[in-house]
Amino acid sequence: MLALMIGAFASTGAAQAQSAAAEGQKLAFDRSKGNCLTCHVIKGGNLPGSLGPELIDIKSKYPNRADLVAIITDETLRNPLTVMPPFGRNRILTEKEIEAVVDFLQTL
């Protein structure tokens, strides 16, 4: 019985993570929200920009999830000369939306 409950919980957790990543992808590709494609090449995205780095292999580049959240929230704290918009500070994305975008980026 306990094994079934643990298996069901693990399955639910994986489904929720996949759902959050799918929501994050929508936000990242949405030209009126995350708008990541304006500056970044992202697999599966149309008409990407080239101002920022290509977003690939993100989980190995940023193994600490909090670093990636901080970059999206307000990269000017780390790099005052960045052109990366402060999505959190300017309330372009909510904390929940930033978490979803990070979920998506970590799948790349």
Side-chain angles (χ1 to χ4, degrees):
M1 175 85 164
L2 182 59
L4 288 174
M5 289 174 59
I6 291 171
F9 180 74
S11 175
T12 301
Q16 287 174 339
Q18 188 174 21
S19 175
E23 180 61 25
Q25 181 179 16
K26 283 184 202 172
L27 289 164
F29 289 1
D30 185 336
R31 299 286 180 173
S32 67
K33 284 296 273 181
N35 202 18
C36 302
L37 288 169
T38 294
C39 299
H40 301 279
V41 171
I42 305 172
K43 182 180 178 182
N46 294 320
L47 303 172
S50 59
L51 183 61
E54 183 175 358
L55 299 181
I56 56 171
D57 201 24
I58 298 299
K59 200 162 190 169
S60 69
K61 289 178 184 174
Y62 298 98
N64 181 351
R65 180 184 177 86
D67 290 340
L68 197 51
V69 169
I71 289 168
I72 296 169
T73 300
D74 188 357
E75 174 63 354
T76 64
L77 297 174
R78 215 173 64 138
N79 176 4
L81 301 177
T82 187
V83 296
M84 176 86 170
F87 289 97
R89 186 186 77 205
N90 286 352
R91 297 186 178 125
I92 299 165
L93 297 174
T94 66
E95 287 181 31
K96 183 178 178 184
E97 289 171 330
I98 290 170
E99 292 291 338
V101 170
V102 169
D103 288 336
F104 165 62
L105 294 176
Q106 289 188 320
T107 70
L108 300 176

